[in-house]
Amino acid sequence: MPEEMDKPLISLHLVDSDSSLAKVPDEAPKVGILGSGDFARSLATRLVGSGFKVVVGSRNPKRTAGLFPSAAQVTFQEEAVSSPEVIFVAVFREHYSSLCSLSDQLAGKILVDVSNPTEQEHLQHRESNAEYLASLFPTCTVVKAFNVISAWTLQAGPRDGNRQVPICSDQPEAKRAVSEMALAMGFMPVDMGSLASAREVEAMPLRLLPAWKVPTLLALGLFVCFYAYNFIRDVLQPYVQESQNKFFKLPVSVVNTTLPCVAYVLLSLVYLPGVLAAALQLRRGTKYQRFPDWLDHWLQHRKQIGLLSFFCAALHALYSFCLPLRRAHRYDLVNLAVKQVLANKSHLWVEEEVWRMEIYLSLGVLALGTLSLLAVTSLPSIANSLNWREFSFVQSSLGFVALVLSTLHTLTYGWTRAFEESRYKFYLPPTFTLTLLVPCVVILAKTLFLLPCISRRLARIRRGWERDGAIKFTLPTDHALAEKTSHV
């Protein structure tokens, strides 16, 4: 509604009800703010609540005074910049030139640029907003900070958002002063170096899940490939060779057949780079050589690949629950009952199929439950509560158990179908046989690494031993102690 859009981001009721924002001691350090937008109001609220005396400079102080905490002084820009040594510039880049009339009053002061460019502006301008501000005010010290913190985070407090505040400037003293303010406000300052790093700092809010790009494309690529493969086998082959229209399977049935394939292969791709890294270390006889870039990036994306595997497995479980609700499934049950009546079969029971489905479902539930535990422990709030041995046990040992359970789940689903000629439609093998290739390689390699002759050599390498080096390390004689060695 239009009247709702006119309301400020910061609630006046919130500001007035907090007694800590009502009055600030006179001896509190004074901070200036140029701007009266949402971010300026949130910043003033957080500064007042952190014990600072805030002076806000506005072009129309009478109109904007009611939007700020009562403890904050709202006045004209010329008066606001006269006494504070640290001044936050909370205006857009195109309005920087309007502040040039304050050059004399701002001389020698610290200007904290909190602005963010749009993606188009970031590509259009070669210099960052902070560098542009520094060129307009050469007698001032410009610090880039707080641009990655949203107005909502400032309003609600750092507990509800990212605590890190990247800070960069050419003057160490100015960075130290702003870092102390960030600590007083409950944030964690991160030194990003000189002001030349401001362009990189301003690009941070423009990124959209950069660590998820490659894993997402990988998952989508696998889904498209397996979906096309299942479409050819389950829909196109009956239509071409048997004149049966089964295109109704595309929305649910084919998707449900594809999702476990993607989840299973993604899970194996989580542990395949570790196998390759171990093989490289064994071949080189040292851990002090860098992995290839592609392997290094692969190792860094394992968390995202694992979470996407869990996501596909969870969707597969939901789709499986929906299968009996389909109208096609009901028709198949009715047709099966009619055929049984016409054939005078009063009892239909195949012992082998009953046992196969019972074991198949049980293994699937166990695999999904183990994947759920892996997904939960990958959350930062949970992972930070675990020590290294606990985290390694869950992510490495239980992860391998999840891969083995998924493999048994897939083998139980296939049973003897891989050896039946009728399952090879268009001479294409069943989909589950393709998905078993990578996981079986990983399981076989992991099993080989458990052999004493290989595991002990790998443990020595990871403790610093080198095959051709001058430094030699020996493992403890106690085998149980050697098993507790961190695989760094």
Side-chain angles (χ1 to χ4, degrees):
M1 301 298 291
E3 59 272 11
E4 293 293 330
M5 297 298 293
D6 293 337
K7 293 182 180 180
L9 179 65
I10 299 295
S11 172
L12 293 178
H13 175 72
L14 172 65
V15 174
D16 295 337
S17 62
D18 193 345
S19 58
S20 64
L21 306 180
K23 186 178 181 180
V24 177
D26 296 335
E27 64 274 7
K30 184 178 292 186
V31 180
I33 298 177
L34 292 176
S36 55
D38 287 338
F39 192 89
R41 293 194 289 268
S42 301
L43 183 61
T45 304
R46 183 52 48 192
L47 286 170
V48 170
S50 301
F52 293 91
K53 188 175 182 179
V54 179
V55 183
V56 181
S58 175
R59 291 172 295 181
N60 194 340
K62 291 184 178 180
R63 186 181 65 179
T64 58
L67 302 176
F68 288 86
S70 57
Q73 178 186 355
V74 183
T75 181
F76 290 99
Q77 293 179 344
E78 294 79 3
E79 300 177 11
V81 300
S82 59
S83 56
E85 291 298 321
V86 179
I87 299 171
F88 287 85
V89 182
V91 297
F92 292 107
R93 179 190 178 111
E94 56 266 26
H95 300 312
Y96 285 173
S97 57
S98 65
L99 304 177
C100 291
S101 59
L102 307 174
S103 297
D104 295 337
Q105 295 96 316
L106 291 174
K109 298 183 182 294
I110 299 175
L111 301 183
V112 183
D113 178 35
V114 299
S115 66
N116 277 319
T118 62
E119 189 170 357
Q120 183 178 3
E121 292 173 344
H122 184 71
L123 297 175
Q124 180 181 357
H125 301 295
R126 292 186 177 181
E127 60 179 356
S128 63
N129 290 359
E131 292 173 311
Y132 176 61
L133 183 64
S135 66
L136 294 178
F137 300 92
T139 59
C140 300
T141 301
V142 176
V143 179
K144 186 70 183 185
F146 290 96
N147 66 302
V148 300
I149 303 298
S150 66
W152 285 111
T153 302
L154 284 171
Q155 177 183 351
R159 63 184 181 279
D160 295 327
N162 191 351
R163 292 172 55 89
Q164 293 186 347
V165 177
I167 299 175
C168 62
S169 176
D170 292 332
Q171 296 295 331
E173 292 298 328
K175 280 195 295 187
R176 184 178 297 109
V178 177
S179 297
E180 292 176 355
M181 293 183 61
L183 286 172
M185 296 167 65
F187 295 97
M188 183 183 301
V190 179
D191 191 347
M192 299 294 292
S194 65
L195 198 63
S197 304
R199 183 171 177 83
E200 179 185 352
V201 174
E202 291 177 1
M204 291 179 180
L206 300 177
R207 299 168 183 166
L208 181 62
L209 303 175
W212 288 85
K213 183 177 180 180
V214 174
T216 302
L217 291 176
L218 174 63
L220 288 176
L222 288 173
F223 183 86
V224 170
C225 292
F226 280 116
Y227 188 88
Y229 191 85
N230 290 324
F231 166 76
I232 294 174
R233 283 179 43 84
D234 299 340
V235 178
L236 190 60
Q237 187 270 343
Y239 183 78
V240 172
Q241 294 186 345
E242 303 173 9
S243 299
Q244 295 182 6
N245 188 349
K246 295 189 177 182
F247 285 90
F248 65 88
K249 290 186 174 182
L250 292 177
V252 178
S253 182
V254 178
V255 173
N256 189 49
T257 307
T258 303
L259 284 173
C261 300
V262 177
Y264 186 36
V265 174
L266 286 177
L267 181 61
S268 63
L269 293 179
V270 172
Y271 297 97
L272 180 59
V275 170
L276 297 177
L280 274 177
Q281 289 179 340
L282 287 171
R283 181 175 180 273
R284 295 170 175 175
T286 179
K287 72 170 185 178
Y288 296 110
Q289 293 186 22
R290 285 183 55 86
F291 294 132
D293 290 339
W294 60 269
L295 181 57
D296 190 49
H297 286 89
W298 193 352
L299 290 167
Q300 294 176 11
H301 287 96
R302 287 181 296 177
K303 173 182 175 181
Q304 289 78 14
I305 297 175
L307 289 175
L308 287 174
S309 173
F310 169 72
F311 175 71
C312 293
L315 284 181
H316 169 56
L318 292 176
Y319 269 92
S320 298
F321 281 119
C322 294
L323 289 179
L325 302 179
R326 298 178 306 146
R327 184 67 64 179
H329 179 75
R330 299 180 183 181
Y331 287 154
D332 286 339
L333 288 179
V334 173
N335 292 334
L336 181 61
V338 171
K339 289 181 180 179
Q340 186 175 353
V341 171
L342 295 177
N344 289 327
K345 293 183 178 180
S346 58
H347 184 69
L348 183 61
W349 183 275
V350 180
E351 189 74 18
E352 181 181 349
E353 281 296 306
V354 171
W355 274 100
R356 183 183 72 85
M357 285 302 299
E358 294 292 325
I359 298 174
Y360 164 73
L361 292 175
S362 178
L363 291 172
V365 171
L366 291 175
L368 182 59
T370 310
L371 276 179
S372 303
L373 184 60
L374 295 175
V376 170
T377 53
S378 66
L379 298 175
S381 58
I382 304 298
N384 293 337
S385 64
L386 303 175
N387 60 37
W388 168 247
R389 186 180 181 187
E390 294 169 344
F391 183 80
S392 177
F393 170 76
V394 173
Q395 294 295 326
S396 180
S397 301
L398 288 186
F400 183 68
V401 171
L403 183 62
V404 172
L405 289 173
S406 301
T407 303
L408 295 176
H409 176 69
T410 306
L411 290 174
T412 310
Y413 169 80
W415 209 249
T416 59
R417 299 180 184 181
F419 309 103
E420 298 175 4
E421 184 179 355
S422 60
R423 300 292 180 176
Y424 289 78
K425 301 176 180 179
F426 279 151
Y427 301 101
L428 298 176
T431 312
F432 73 90
T433 59
L434 301 180
T435 61
L436 285 168
L437 296 177
V438 178
C440 288
V441 170
V442 174
I443 293 174
L444 179 61
K446 285 273 193 179
T447 304
L448 291 177
F449 289 157
L450 293 177
L451 296 177
C453 57
I454 298 179
S455 63
R456 288 188 59 84
R457 183 180 182 85
L458 187 60
R460 293 173 65 191
I461 291 174
R462 287 173 172 173
R463 286 178 60 88
W465 177 85
E466 293 185 272
R467 180 175 54 197
D468 299 325
I471 302 177
K472 304 293 182 179
F473 292 88
T474 58
L475 282 176
T477 56
D478 187 358
H479 181 69
L481 184 59
E483 289 296 323
K484 299 179 182 179
T485 301
S486 175
H487 293 174
V488 179

